[in-house]
Amino acid sequence: DQQVKQNSPSLSVQEGRISILNCDYTNSMFDYFLWYKKYPAEGPTFLISISSIKDKNEDGRFTVFLNKSAKHLSLHIVPSQPGDSAVYFCAASPSIQGAQKLVFGQGTRLTINP
Amino acid sequence: GAVVSQHPSRVICKSGTSVKIECRSLDFQATTMFWYRQFPKKSLMLMATSNEGSKATYEQGVEKDKFLINHASLTLSTLTVTSAHPEDSSFYICSASAGTSGNTIYFGEGSWLTVV
């Protein structure tokens, strides 16, 4: 049972435009959500997070939106840059505490075209 | 900043042998580390929670006798794949938390295991 789902395995966006990556979850106990970026043969690196008490969190070019009623979150990257090309994972946790195990989606491969 | 390091990054072993993967927190102490496994084009799946000074907690379906986890110090956890089989070939990755918020979860570089 996939509790966190990223239904788009890949996404291609023109440089300078907005990239929107989507993520859905099924477990209502999830209270904290994170986005990670991963390059081949490297571990995921943290991008941005959001707790369930918020519906938006912004950090530079990255904005995460959370719709609790729809159990849906999205990551917006604007403007998209070639260096953003990577696999993006969303992850969920039942707690904001850092030492909590994460449940990951399948990942979305983002390609930014020059 | 805080860093988690894994070793080796790539390892090839013969069927039936055992291989050990190390996960170190380089500049912080981690009482808890997590081991994940990723199959091609699949999500990172949590295998077990490594607890310093006590037994690891395994997720359902993960064989504890096959995937031995030792967390002997606050900066080192090891995952040993025993009697490896080709189906154990995968990308293994660990994580550790340097604090109490999500942005302090750090992942190692991952280890590619190929069993031939």
Side-chain angles (χ1 to χ4, degrees), chain A residues 2 32 34 36 38 41-44 46 89 96-99 101-102 104-106, chain B residues 34 36 38 42-44 46 59 91 93 97 99-103 105 107-109:
Chain A
Q2 190 76 26
Y32 191 59
L34 309 91
Y36 286 87
K38 185 182 182 296
E42 293 184 11
F46 172 80
F89 288 95
I96 198 173
Q97 291 297 316
K101 51 191 181 184
L102 301 174
F104 283 87
Q106 308 96 311
Chain B
F34 300 93
Y36 294 84
Q38 184 184 22
K42 299 289 185 182
S43 63
L44 291 160
L46 180 67
E59 295 300 301
F91 184 66
I93 193 165
S97 178
T100 56
S101 62
N103 62 356
I105 300 172
F107 285 83
E109 307 94 328

PDB file of all heavy atoms in Angstrom, chain A residues 2 32 34 36 38 41-44 46 89 96-99 101-102 104-106, chain B residues 34 36 38 42-44 46 59 91 93 97 99-103 105 107-109:
ATOM      1  N   GLN A   2       0.785   2.010  -1.071  1.00  0.00           N
ATOM      2  CA  GLN A   2       1.621   3.192  -1.235  1.00  0.00           C
ATOM      3  C   GLN A   2       0.926   4.350  -0.535  1.00  0.00           C
ATOM      4  O   GLN A   2      -0.068   4.881  -1.023  1.00  0.00           O
ATOM      5  CB  GLN A   2       1.800   3.476  -2.728  1.00  0.00           C
ATOM      6  CG  GLN A   2       2.821   4.517  -3.066  1.00  0.00           C
ATOM      7  CD  GLN A   2       4.256   4.019  -2.951  1.00  0.00           C
ATOM      8  OE1 GLN A   2       4.528   2.839  -3.071  1.00  0.00           O
ATOM      9  NE2 GLN A   2       5.160   4.927  -2.705  1.00  0.00           N
ATOM     10  N   TYR A  32       3.656  16.130   8.777  1.00  0.00           N
ATOM     11  CA  TYR A  32       4.804  16.905   8.332  1.00  0.00           C
ATOM     12  C   TYR A  32       5.244  16.355   6.995  1.00  0.00           C
ATOM     13  O   TYR A  32       5.313  15.138   6.812  1.00  0.00           O
ATOM     14  CB  TYR A  32       5.919  16.781   9.378  1.00  0.00           C
ATOM     15  CG  TYR A  32       7.084  17.719   9.200  1.00  0.00           C
ATOM     16  CD1 TYR A  32       6.907  19.094   9.194  1.00  0.00           C
ATOM     17  CD2 TYR A  32       8.371  17.216   9.068  1.00  0.00           C
ATOM     18  CE1 TYR A  32       7.978  19.949   9.046  1.00  0.00           C
ATOM     19  CE2 TYR A  32       9.449  18.066   8.920  1.00  0.00           C
ATOM     20  CZ  TYR A  32       9.249  19.432   8.905  1.00  0.00           C
ATOM     21  OH  TYR A  32      10.303  20.268   8.756  1.00  0.00           O
ATOM     22  N   LEU A  34       7.873  16.769   3.483  1.00  0.00           N
ATOM     23  CA  LEU A  34       9.162  17.272   3.035  1.00  0.00           C
ATOM     24  C   LEU A  34       9.342  16.967   1.565  1.00  0.00           C
ATOM     25  O   LEU A  34       8.795  15.996   1.036  1.00  0.00           O
ATOM     26  CB  LEU A  34      10.305  16.608   3.822  1.00  0.00           C
ATOM     27  CG  LEU A  34      10.220  16.608   5.356  1.00  0.00           C
ATOM     28  CD1 LEU A  34       9.518  15.360   5.873  1.00  0.00           C
ATOM     29  CD2 LEU A  34      11.613  16.693   5.959  1.00  0.00           C
ATOM     30  N   TYR A  36      12.515  16.365  -1.200  1.00  0.00           N
ATOM     31  CA  TYR A  36      13.930  16.106  -1.362  1.00  0.00           C
ATOM     32  C   TYR A  36      14.271  16.089  -2.843  1.00  0.00           C
ATOM     33  O   TYR A  36      13.469  15.703  -3.688  1.00  0.00           O
ATOM     34  CB  TYR A  36      14.313  14.759  -0.752  1.00  0.00           C
ATOM     35  CG  TYR A  36      14.346  14.746   0.754  1.00  0.00           C
ATOM     36  CD1 TYR A  36      13.195  14.473   1.480  1.00  0.00           C
ATOM     37  CD2 TYR A  36      15.520  15.006   1.445  1.00  0.00           C
ATOM     38  CE1 TYR A  36      13.218  14.465   2.866  1.00  0.00           C
ATOM     39  CE2 TYR A  36      15.552  14.995   2.831  1.00  0.00           C
ATOM     40  CZ  TYR A  36      14.396  14.729   3.528  1.00  0.00           C
ATOM     41  OH  TYR A  36      14.412  14.721   4.902  1.00  0.00           O
ATOM     42  N   LYS A  38      17.187  14.608  -5.525  1.00  0.00           N
ATOM     43  CA  LYS A  38      18.198  13.555  -5.572  1.00  0.00           C
ATOM     44  C   LYS A  38      18.841  13.482  -6.950  1.00  0.00           C
ATOM     45  O   LYS A  38      18.155  13.366  -7.966  1.00  0.00           O
ATOM     46  CB  LYS A  38      17.564  12.204  -5.214  1.00  0.00           C
ATOM     47  CG  LYS A  38      18.567  11.061  -5.128  1.00  0.00           C
ATOM     48  CD  LYS A  38      17.892   9.758  -4.812  1.00  0.00           C
ATOM     49  CE  LYS A  38      18.903   8.633  -4.678  1.00  0.00           C
ATOM     50  NZ  LYS A  38      19.591   8.388  -5.956  1.00  0.00           N
ATOM     51  N   ALA A  41      23.196   8.410  -7.909  1.00  0.00           N
ATOM     52  CA  ALA A  41      24.275   7.917  -7.058  1.00  0.00           C
ATOM     53  C   ALA A  41      24.574   8.834  -5.867  1.00  0.00           C
ATOM     54  O   ALA A  41      25.665   8.777  -5.298  1.00  0.00           O
ATOM     55  CB  ALA A  41      25.550   7.691  -7.870  1.00  0.00           C
ATOM     56  N   GLU A  42      23.626   9.676  -5.515  1.00  0.00           N
ATOM     57  CA  GLU A  42      23.779  10.504  -4.328  1.00  0.00           C
ATOM     58  C   GLU A  42      22.567  10.332  -3.426  1.00  0.00           C
ATOM     59  O   GLU A  42      21.503   9.909  -3.872  1.00  0.00           O
ATOM     60  CB  GLU A  42      23.926  11.975  -4.709  1.00  0.00           C
ATOM     61  CG  GLU A  42      25.202  12.309  -5.448  1.00  0.00           C
ATOM     62  CD  GLU A  42      25.323  13.797  -5.713  1.00  0.00           C
ATOM     63  OE1 GLU A  42      24.530  14.576  -5.145  1.00  0.00           O
ATOM     64  OE2 GLU A  42      26.211  14.187  -6.492  1.00  0.00           O
ATOM     65  N   GLY A  43      22.734  10.682  -2.169  1.00  0.00           N
ATOM     66  CA  GLY A  43      21.592  10.651  -1.272  1.00  0.00           C
ATOM     67  C   GLY A  43      20.692  11.850  -1.486  1.00  0.00           C
ATOM     68  O   GLY A  43      21.114  12.859  -2.043  1.00  0.00           O
ATOM     69  N   PRO A  44      19.448  11.766  -1.065  1.00  0.00           N
ATOM     70  CA  PRO A  44      18.534  12.902  -1.187  1.00  0.00           C
ATOM     71  C   PRO A  44      19.019  14.078  -0.346  1.00  0.00           C
ATOM     72  O   PRO A  44      19.582  13.900   0.724  1.00  0.00           O
ATOM     73  CB  PRO A  44      17.214  12.352  -0.634  1.00  0.00           C
ATOM     74  CG  PRO A  44      17.350  10.873  -0.641  1.00  0.00           C
ATOM     75  CD  PRO A  44      18.794  10.600  -0.446  1.00  0.00           C
ATOM     76  N   PHE A  46      17.689  17.732   1.358  1.00  0.00           N
ATOM     77  CA  PHE A  46      16.473  18.412   1.778  1.00  0.00           C
ATOM     78  C   PHE A  46      16.270  19.699   0.983  1.00  0.00           C
ATOM     79  O   PHE A  46      17.194  20.476   0.758  1.00  0.00           O
ATOM     80  CB  PHE A  46      16.576  18.734   3.270  1.00  0.00           C
ATOM     81  CG  PHE A  46      15.473  19.596   3.790  1.00  0.00           C
ATOM     82  CD1 PHE A  46      14.241  19.060   4.097  1.00  0.00           C
ATOM     83  CD2 PHE A  46      15.673  20.955   3.968  1.00  0.00           C
ATOM     84  CE1 PHE A  46      13.227  19.852   4.582  1.00  0.00           C
ATOM     85  CE2 PHE A  46      14.663  21.765   4.446  1.00  0.00           C
ATOM     86  CZ  PHE A  46      13.434  21.211   4.756  1.00  0.00           C
ATOM     87  N   PHE A  89      11.625  13.772  -4.603  1.00  0.00           N
ATOM     88  CA  PHE A  89      10.812  12.891  -3.776  1.00  0.00           C
ATOM     89  C   PHE A  89      10.022  13.729  -2.779  1.00  0.00           C
ATOM     90  O   PHE A  89      10.572  14.634  -2.153  1.00  0.00           O
ATOM     91  CB  PHE A  89      11.689  11.923  -2.983  1.00  0.00           C
ATOM     92  CG  PHE A  89      12.335  10.850  -3.808  1.00  0.00           C
ATOM     93  CD1 PHE A  89      13.614  11.009  -4.294  1.00  0.00           C
ATOM     94  CD2 PHE A  89      11.649   9.681  -4.079  1.00  0.00           C
ATOM     95  CE1 PHE A  89      14.223  10.019  -5.049  1.00  0.00           C
ATOM     96  CE2 PHE A  89      12.238   8.677  -4.834  1.00  0.00           C
ATOM     97  CZ  PHE A  89      13.527   8.857  -5.318  1.00  0.00           C
ATOM     98  N   ILE A  96       6.688  16.321  13.313  1.00  0.00           N
ATOM     99  CA  ILE A  96       7.683  17.281  12.868  1.00  0.00           C
ATOM    100  C   ILE A  96       9.052  16.966  13.458  1.00  0.00           C
ATOM    101  O   ILE A  96      10.071  17.479  12.999  1.00  0.00           O
ATOM    102  CB  ILE A  96       7.255  18.716  13.252  1.00  0.00           C
ATOM    103  CG1 ILE A  96       8.021  19.770  12.444  1.00  0.00           C
ATOM    104  CG2 ILE A  96       7.455  18.959  14.745  1.00  0.00           C
ATOM    105  CD1 ILE A  96       7.527  21.179  12.656  1.00  0.00           C
ATOM    106  N   GLN A  97       9.076  16.101  14.458  1.00  0.00           N
ATOM    107  CA  GLN A  97      10.347  15.770  15.072  1.00  0.00           C
ATOM    108  C   GLN A  97      11.289  15.147  14.049  1.00  0.00           C
ATOM    109  O   GLN A  97      10.898  14.275  13.280  1.00  0.00           O
ATOM    110  CB  GLN A  97      10.127  14.778  16.224  1.00  0.00           C
ATOM    111  CG  GLN A  97       9.395  15.388  17.411  1.00  0.00           C
ATOM    112  CD  GLN A  97      10.172  16.500  18.047  1.00  0.00           C
ATOM    113  OE1 GLN A  97      11.371  16.401  18.250  1.00  0.00           O
ATOM    114  NE2 GLN A  97       9.500  17.602  18.355  1.00  0.00           N
ATOM    115  N   GLY A  98      12.517  15.581  14.059  1.00  0.00           N
ATOM    116  CA  GLY A  98      13.446  15.138  13.030  1.00  0.00           C
ATOM    117  C   GLY A  98      13.747  13.658  13.051  1.00  0.00           C
ATOM    118  O   GLY A  98      14.039  13.057  12.033  1.00  0.00           O
ATOM    119  N   ALA A  99      13.702  13.047  14.198  1.00  0.00           N
ATOM    120  CA  ALA A  99      14.087  11.640  14.271  1.00  0.00           C
ATOM    121  C   ALA A  99      12.919  10.722  13.993  1.00  0.00           C
ATOM    122  O   ALA A  99      12.770   9.687  14.610  1.00  0.00           O
ATOM    123  CB  ALA A  99      14.688  11.341  15.637  1.00  0.00           C
ATOM    124  N   LYS A 101      10.809   8.409  11.181  1.00  0.00           N
ATOM    125  CA  LYS A 101      10.992   7.756   9.892  1.00  0.00           C
ATOM    126  C   LYS A 101      10.078   8.388   8.859  1.00  0.00           C
ATOM    127  O   LYS A 101       8.992   8.848   9.162  1.00  0.00           O
ATOM    128  CB  LYS A 101      10.725   6.266  10.011  1.00  0.00           C
ATOM    129  CG  LYS A 101       9.415   5.902  10.672  1.00  0.00           C
ATOM    130  CD  LYS A 101       9.394   4.411  10.972  1.00  0.00           C
ATOM    131  CE  LYS A 101       8.075   4.010  11.618  1.00  0.00           C
ATOM    132  NZ  LYS A 101       8.071   2.585  12.010  1.00  0.00           N
ATOM    133  N   LEU A 102      10.574   8.422   7.657  1.00  0.00           N
ATOM    134  CA  LEU A 102       9.864   9.066   6.563  1.00  0.00           C
ATOM    135  C   LEU A 102       9.264   8.033   5.623  1.00  0.00           C
ATOM    136  O   LEU A 102       9.828   6.971   5.398  1.00  0.00           O
ATOM    137  CB  LEU A 102      10.825   9.968   5.777  1.00  0.00           C
ATOM    138  CG  LEU A 102      11.510  11.081   6.574  1.00  0.00           C
ATOM    139  CD1 LEU A 102      12.531  11.798   5.698  1.00  0.00           C
ATOM    140  CD2 LEU A 102      10.476  12.069   7.093  1.00  0.00           C
ATOM    141  N   PHE A 104       8.246   7.739   1.733  1.00  0.00           N
ATOM    142  CA  PHE A 104       8.558   8.436   0.498  1.00  0.00           C
ATOM    143  C   PHE A 104       7.603   8.077  -0.629  1.00  0.00           C
ATOM    144  O   PHE A 104       7.069   6.970  -0.696  1.00  0.00           O
ATOM    145  CB  PHE A 104       9.975   8.069   0.041  1.00  0.00           C
ATOM    146  CG  PHE A 104      11.070   8.754   0.803  1.00  0.00           C
ATOM    147  CD1 PHE A 104      11.550   8.207   1.975  1.00  0.00           C
ATOM    148  CD2 PHE A 104      11.614   9.937   0.335  1.00  0.00           C
ATOM    149  CE1 PHE A 104      12.558   8.834   2.682  1.00  0.00           C
ATOM    150  CE2 PHE A 104      12.628  10.571   1.041  1.00  0.00           C
ATOM    151  CZ  PHE A 104      13.103  10.019   2.223  1.00  0.00           C
ATOM    152  N   GLY A 105       7.430   9.023  -1.520  1.00  0.00           N
ATOM    153  CA  GLY A 105       6.773   8.738  -2.787  1.00  0.00           C
ATOM    154  C   GLY A 105       7.769   8.107  -3.738  1.00  0.00           C
ATOM    155  O   GLY A 105       8.945   7.921  -3.410  1.00  0.00           O
ATOM    156  N   GLN A 106       7.287   7.790  -4.942  1.00  0.00           N
ATOM    157  CA  GLN A 106       8.133   7.084  -5.908  1.00  0.00           C
ATOM    158  C   GLN A 106       9.131   7.998  -6.598  1.00  0.00           C
ATOM    159  O   GLN A 106      10.064   7.546  -7.252  1.00  0.00           O
ATOM    160  CB  GLN A 106       7.273   6.397  -6.980  1.00  0.00           C
ATOM    161  CG  GLN A 106       6.176   5.514  -6.442  1.00  0.00           C
ATOM    162  CD  GLN A 106       4.868   6.267  -6.379  1.00  0.00           C
ATOM    163  OE1 GLN A 106       4.798   7.389  -5.871  1.00  0.00           O
ATOM    164  NE2 GLN A 106       3.819   5.643  -6.875  1.00  0.00           N
TER     165      GLN A 106
ATOM    166  N   PHE B  34      18.348   5.632  10.275  1.00  0.00           N
ATOM    167  CA  PHE B  34      17.374   4.859   9.505  1.00  0.00           C
ATOM    168  C   PHE B  34      18.045   4.270   8.273  1.00  0.00           C
ATOM    169  O   PHE B  34      18.882   4.911   7.635  1.00  0.00           O
ATOM    170  CB  PHE B  34      16.201   5.748   9.080  1.00  0.00           C
ATOM    171  CG  PHE B  34      15.457   6.347  10.230  1.00  0.00           C
ATOM    172  CD1 PHE B  34      15.792   7.607  10.698  1.00  0.00           C
ATOM    173  CD2 PHE B  34      14.434   5.664  10.845  1.00  0.00           C
ATOM    174  CE1 PHE B  34      15.116   8.178  11.760  1.00  0.00           C
ATOM    175  CE2 PHE B  34      13.753   6.215  11.914  1.00  0.00           C
ATOM    176  CZ  PHE B  34      14.090   7.471  12.371  1.00  0.00           C
ATOM    177  N   TYR B  36      17.274   2.698   4.522  1.00  0.00           N
ATOM    178  CA  TYR B  36      16.303   2.603   3.451  1.00  0.00           C
ATOM    179  C   TYR B  36      16.887   1.772   2.308  1.00  0.00           C
ATOM    180  O   TYR B  36      18.098   1.623   2.169  1.00  0.00           O
ATOM    181  CB  TYR B  36      15.947   3.991   2.887  1.00  0.00           C
ATOM    182  CG  TYR B  36      15.226   4.906   3.839  1.00  0.00           C
ATOM    183  CD1 TYR B  36      15.930   5.663   4.759  1.00  0.00           C
ATOM    184  CD2 TYR B  36      13.838   5.031   3.793  1.00  0.00           C
ATOM    185  CE1 TYR B  36      15.271   6.528   5.625  1.00  0.00           C
ATOM    186  CE2 TYR B  36      13.177   5.904   4.658  1.00  0.00           C
ATOM    187  CZ  TYR B  36      13.900   6.635   5.561  1.00  0.00           C
ATOM    188  OH  TYR B  36      13.246   7.494   6.414  1.00  0.00           O
ATOM    189  N   GLN B  38      16.215   1.214  -2.025  1.00  0.00           N
ATOM    190  CA  GLN B  38      15.512   1.714  -3.193  1.00  0.00           C
ATOM    191  C   GLN B  38      15.724   0.780  -4.365  1.00  0.00           C
ATOM    192  O   GLN B  38      16.864   0.533  -4.777  1.00  0.00           O
ATOM    193  CB  GLN B  38      15.973   3.118  -3.569  1.00  0.00           C
ATOM    194  CG  GLN B  38      15.186   3.716  -4.723  1.00  0.00           C
ATOM    195  CD  GLN B  38      15.701   5.070  -5.161  1.00  0.00           C
ATOM    196  OE1 GLN B  38      16.851   5.418  -4.919  1.00  0.00           O
ATOM    197  NE2 GLN B  38      14.840   5.845  -5.800  1.00  0.00           N
ATOM    198  N   LYS B  42      11.650   3.011  -8.062  1.00  0.00           N
ATOM    199  CA  LYS B  42      10.733   2.867  -6.940  1.00  0.00           C
ATOM    200  C   LYS B  42      11.106   3.860  -5.847  1.00  0.00           C
ATOM    201  O   LYS B  42      12.157   4.491  -5.896  1.00  0.00           O
ATOM    202  CB  LYS B  42      10.796   1.440  -6.374  1.00  0.00           C
ATOM    203  CG  LYS B  42      10.405   0.367  -7.367  1.00  0.00           C
ATOM    204  CD  LYS B  42       8.937   0.396  -7.664  1.00  0.00           C
ATOM    205  CE  LYS B  42       8.546  -0.763  -8.565  1.00  0.00           C
ATOM    206  NZ  LYS B  42       7.108  -0.735  -8.911  1.00  0.00           N
ATOM    207  N   SER B  43      10.227   3.990  -4.873  1.00  0.00           N
ATOM    208  CA  SER B  43      10.511   4.926  -3.789  1.00  0.00           C
ATOM    209  C   SER B  43      11.500   4.326  -2.799  1.00  0.00           C
ATOM    210  O   SER B  43      11.770   3.126  -2.807  1.00  0.00           O
ATOM    211  CB  SER B  43       9.220   5.315  -3.082  1.00  0.00           C
ATOM    212  OG  SER B  43       8.627   4.177  -2.483  1.00  0.00           O
ATOM    213  N   LEU B  44      12.029   5.188  -1.961  1.00  0.00           N
ATOM    214  CA  LEU B  44      12.875   4.728  -0.859  1.00  0.00           C
ATOM    215  C   LEU B  44      11.974   4.038   0.156  1.00  0.00           C
ATOM    216  O   LEU B  44      11.011   4.627   0.647  1.00  0.00           O
ATOM    217  CB  LEU B  44      13.575   5.916  -0.215  1.00  0.00           C
ATOM    218  CG  LEU B  44      14.642   6.613  -1.046  1.00  0.00           C
ATOM    219  CD1 LEU B  44      14.910   7.998  -0.532  1.00  0.00           C
ATOM    220  CD2 LEU B  44      15.924   5.801  -1.039  1.00  0.00           C
ATOM    221  N   LEU B  46      11.655   2.268   3.819  1.00  0.00           N
ATOM    222  CA  LEU B  46      12.311   2.114   5.103  1.00  0.00           C
ATOM    223  C   LEU B  46      12.464   0.639   5.430  1.00  0.00           C
ATOM    224  O   LEU B  46      11.493  -0.124   5.363  1.00  0.00           O
ATOM    225  CB  LEU B  46      11.503   2.815   6.193  1.00  0.00           C
ATOM    226  CG  LEU B  46      12.081   2.723   7.597  1.00  0.00           C
ATOM    227  CD1 LEU B  46      13.387   3.511   7.687  1.00  0.00           C
ATOM    228  CD2 LEU B  46      11.083   3.270   8.624  1.00  0.00           C
ATOM    229  N   GLU B  59      11.056  -3.021   9.813  1.00  0.00           N
ATOM    230  CA  GLU B  59       9.745  -2.848   9.203  1.00  0.00           C
ATOM    231  C   GLU B  59       9.204  -4.218   8.785  1.00  0.00           C
ATOM    232  O   GLU B  59       9.964  -5.189   8.603  1.00  0.00           O
ATOM    233  CB  GLU B  59       9.829  -1.926   7.991  1.00  0.00           C
ATOM    234  CG  GLU B  59      10.227  -0.504   8.351  1.00  0.00           C
ATOM    235  CD  GLU B  59       9.260   0.165   9.303  1.00  0.00           C
ATOM    236  OE1 GLU B  59       8.053   0.277   8.952  1.00  0.00           O
ATOM    237  OE2 GLU B  59       9.700   0.571  10.384  1.00  0.00           O
ATOM    238  N   PHE B  91      19.995  -0.280  -4.045  1.00  0.00           N
ATOM    239  CA  PHE B  91      20.618   0.934  -3.525  1.00  0.00           C
ATOM    240  C   PHE B  91      20.191   1.066  -2.069  1.00  0.00           C
ATOM    241  O   PHE B  91      19.007   1.153  -1.774  1.00  0.00           O
ATOM    242  CB  PHE B  91      20.150   2.134  -4.358  1.00  0.00           C
ATOM    243  CG  PHE B  91      20.779   3.444  -4.012  1.00  0.00           C
ATOM    244  CD1 PHE B  91      22.129   3.654  -4.220  1.00  0.00           C
ATOM    245  CD2 PHE B  91      20.024   4.487  -3.510  1.00  0.00           C
ATOM    246  CE1 PHE B  91      22.723   4.879  -3.925  1.00  0.00           C
ATOM    247  CE2 PHE B  91      20.603   5.714  -3.201  1.00  0.00           C
ATOM    248  CZ  PHE B  91      21.963   5.912  -3.409  1.00  0.00           C
ATOM    249  N   ILE B  93      20.506   3.145   1.555  1.00  0.00           N
ATOM    250  CA  ILE B  93      20.833   4.498   1.991  1.00  0.00           C
ATOM    251  C   ILE B  93      20.419   4.694   3.445  1.00  0.00           C
ATOM    252  O   ILE B  93      19.420   4.126   3.889  1.00  0.00           O
ATOM    253  CB  ILE B  93      20.167   5.541   1.065  1.00  0.00           C
ATOM    254  CG1 ILE B  93      20.731   6.924   1.299  1.00  0.00           C
ATOM    255  CG2 ILE B  93      18.659   5.536   1.212  1.00  0.00           C
ATOM    256  CD1 ILE B  93      20.381   7.898   0.187  1.00  0.00           C
ATOM    257  N   SER B  97      19.320  12.164  12.029  1.00  0.00           N
ATOM    258  CA  SER B  97      18.815  13.493  12.326  1.00  0.00           C
ATOM    259  C   SER B  97      19.756  14.207  13.281  1.00  0.00           C
ATOM    260  O   SER B  97      20.190  13.641  14.277  1.00  0.00           O
ATOM    261  CB  SER B  97      17.422  13.407  12.946  1.00  0.00           C
ATOM    262  OG  SER B  97      16.965  14.699  13.280  1.00  0.00           O
ATOM    263  N   GLY B  99      18.881  17.107  14.634  1.00  0.00           N
ATOM    264  CA  GLY B  99      18.094  18.000  15.476  1.00  0.00           C
ATOM    265  C   GLY B  99      16.674  17.524  15.599  1.00  0.00           C
ATOM    266  O   GLY B  99      16.381  16.344  15.430  1.00  0.00           O
ATOM    267  N   THR B 100      15.807  18.458  15.826  1.00  0.00           N
ATOM    268  CA  THR B 100      14.413  18.084  16.082  1.00  0.00           C
ATOM    269  C   THR B 100      13.472  18.555  14.992  1.00  0.00           C
ATOM    270  O   THR B 100      12.264  18.439  15.114  1.00  0.00           O
ATOM    271  CB  THR B 100      13.938  18.675  17.426  1.00  0.00           C
ATOM    272  OG1 THR B 100      14.135  20.091  17.394  1.00  0.00           O
ATOM    273  CG2 THR B 100      14.715  18.075  18.581  1.00  0.00           C
ATOM    274  N   SER B 101      13.983  19.093  13.924  1.00  0.00           N
ATOM    275  CA  SER B 101      13.104  19.507  12.839  1.00  0.00           C
ATOM    276  C   SER B 101      13.469  18.774  11.561  1.00  0.00           C
ATOM    277  O   SER B 101      14.555  18.237  11.428  1.00  0.00           O
ATOM    278  CB  SER B 101      13.193  21.019  12.617  1.00  0.00           C
ATOM    279  OG  SER B 101      14.493  21.386  12.255  1.00  0.00           O
ATOM    280  N   GLY B 102      12.537  18.750  10.669  1.00  0.00           N
ATOM    281  CA  GLY B 102      12.708  17.941   9.472  1.00  0.00           C
ATOM    282  C   GLY B 102      13.892  18.325   8.624  1.00  0.00           C
ATOM    283  O   GLY B 102      14.493  17.485   7.965  1.00  0.00           O
ATOM    284  N   ASN B 103      14.248  19.627   8.645  1.00  0.00           N
ATOM    285  CA  ASN B 103      15.352  20.018   7.781  1.00  0.00           C
ATOM    286  C   ASN B 103      16.702  19.641   8.359  1.00  0.00           C
ATOM    287  O   ASN B 103      17.736  20.044   7.838  1.00  0.00           O
ATOM    288  CB  ASN B 103      15.277  21.519   7.473  1.00  0.00           C
ATOM    289  CG  ASN B 103      15.397  22.376   8.719  1.00  0.00           C
ATOM    290  OD1 ASN B 103      15.468  21.860   9.834  1.00  0.00           O
ATOM    291  ND2 ASN B 103      15.404  23.672   8.531  1.00  0.00           N
ATOM    292  N   ILE B 105      17.325  16.366   8.898  1.00  0.00           N
ATOM    293  CA  ILE B 105      17.492  14.969   8.521  1.00  0.00           C
ATOM    294  C   ILE B 105      18.461  14.930   7.358  1.00  0.00           C
ATOM    295  O   ILE B 105      18.238  15.550   6.329  1.00  0.00           O
ATOM    296  CB  ILE B 105      16.152  14.337   8.105  1.00  0.00           C
ATOM    297  CG1 ILE B 105      15.149  14.409   9.254  1.00  0.00           C
ATOM    298  CG2 ILE B 105      16.359  12.888   7.670  1.00  0.00           C
ATOM    299  CD1 ILE B 105      13.756  13.972   8.846  1.00  0.00           C
ATOM    300  N   PHE B 107      20.885  12.581   4.736  1.00  0.00           N
ATOM    301  CA  PHE B 107      21.042  11.269   4.129  1.00  0.00           C
ATOM    302  C   PHE B 107      22.491  11.044   3.745  1.00  0.00           C
ATOM    303  O   PHE B 107      23.207  11.963   3.377  1.00  0.00           O
ATOM    304  CB  PHE B 107      20.162  11.140   2.881  1.00  0.00           C
ATOM    305  CG  PHE B 107      18.703  10.949   3.196  1.00  0.00           C
ATOM    306  CD1 PHE B 107      17.896  12.044   3.475  1.00  0.00           C
ATOM    307  CD2 PHE B 107      18.146   9.686   3.229  1.00  0.00           C
ATOM    308  CE1 PHE B 107      16.556  11.871   3.777  1.00  0.00           C
ATOM    309  CE2 PHE B 107      16.804   9.510   3.530  1.00  0.00           C
ATOM    310  CZ  PHE B 107      16.005  10.599   3.807  1.00  0.00           C
ATOM    311  N   GLY B 108      22.879   9.781   3.826  1.00  0.00           N
ATOM    312  CA  GLY B 108      24.170   9.418   3.297  1.00  0.00           C
ATOM    313  C   GLY B 108      24.130   9.412   1.778  1.00  0.00           C
ATOM    314  O   GLY B 108      23.076   9.618   1.163  1.00  0.00           O
ATOM    315  N   GLU B 109      25.280   9.157   1.201  1.00  0.00           N
ATOM    316  CA  GLU B 109      25.383   9.168  -0.262  1.00  0.00           C
ATOM    317  C   GLU B 109      24.775   7.932  -0.899  1.00  0.00           C
ATOM    318  O   GLU B 109      24.539   7.887  -2.102  1.00  0.00           O
ATOM    319  CB  GLU B 109      26.855   9.262  -0.706  1.00  0.00           C
ATOM    320  CG  GLU B 109      27.618  10.411  -0.080  1.00  0.00           C
ATOM    321  CD  GLU B 109      28.361   9.975   1.165  1.00  0.00           C
ATOM    322  OE1 GLU B 109      27.868   9.064   1.886  1.00  0.00           O
ATOM    323  OE2 GLU B 109      29.420  10.540   1.433  1.00  0.00           O
TER     324      GLU B 109
END
